[in-house]
Amino acid sequence: MENSSAPCIILMADDDQEDCLLARIGFEESAIEGEIRFVENGEELLDYLRSGDPRPDLILLDLNMPRMDGREALLEIKSDQQLRNIPVVILTTSRQEKDVKFCLDAGACEFKTKPVEISEWVDVINSALSHCPA
């Protein structure tokens, strides 16, 4: 994403408000031009993606959310011709090998454990942005 002329839009699907706050701070400290937006579950994520709002350059997706979890949302995104090319990075507390395998097989670019420190959030966001088209 370096030297990109257009601002980046990251859409994060996560129901944990503390993680969303840490991600926002990490995004701001990363000095990336653009914005980070938030939805609380897979249904809101798909509604956003199909609403005509600005298309995100990257989706950060938690697995464990109410109403529609990240696994279901990932399958929906990757099966939709209009959405499948949006890079999805899984960002979750799960460390289960079956979750890693499922997500990568379903089309996620990367599977990361949620960080705790702000500096780690900056690193995760910068790493995730490497999956965005230039």
Side-chain angles (χ1 to χ4, degrees):
M1 214 48 218
E2 295 176 49
N3 301 326
S4 176
S5 57
C8 171
I9 297 175
I10 296 175
L11 181 59
M12 183 169 172
D14 197 319
D15 63 318
D16 186 314
Q17 295 304 308
E18 185 175 324
D19 286 336
C20 290
L21 176 62
L22 291 170
R24 180 177 302 285
I25 294 167
F27 180 82
E28 290 168 358
E29 289 194 10
S30 72
I32 295 164
E33 185 179 337
E35 65 181 298
I36 186 166
R37 297 177 178 200
F38 300 92
V39 293
E40 293 186 5
N41 59 61
E43 287 181 4
E44 287 183 17
L45 172 62
L46 291 168
D47 287 346
Y48 177 97
L49 293 172
R50 294 177 174 146
S51 71
D53 283 335
R55 180 182 217 119
D57 299 295
L58 174 71
I59 297 169
L60 298 177
L61 182 59
D62 184 27
L63 292 185
N64 302 311
M65 299 180 291
R67 295 175 62 195
M68 177 188 283
D69 73 14
R71 293 164 198 83
E72 294 171 279
L74 177 62
L75 290 174
E76 286 280 329
I77 290 165
K78 294 304 178 181
S79 68
D80 186 313
Q81 282 293 116
Q82 303 291 322
L83 306 175
R84 72 167 25 133
N85 292 328
I86 302 170
V88 178
V89 172
I90 305 301
L91 195 55
T92 187
T93 56
S94 173
R95 294 173 191 249
Q96 294 185 29
E97 191 57 39
K98 69 177 185 167
D99 285 334
V100 175
K101 181 174 177 13
F102 174 87
C103 292
L104 295 177
D105 287 349
C109 304
E110 197 171 357
F111 189 101
K112 293 205 168 263
T113 302
K114 283 183 182 178
V116 178
E117 303 293 324
I118 293 296
S119 62
E120 294 171 323
W121 276 98
V122 172
D123 291 343
V124 163
I125 289 169
N126 283 324
S127 171
L129 286 171
S130 69
H131 299 288
C132 293

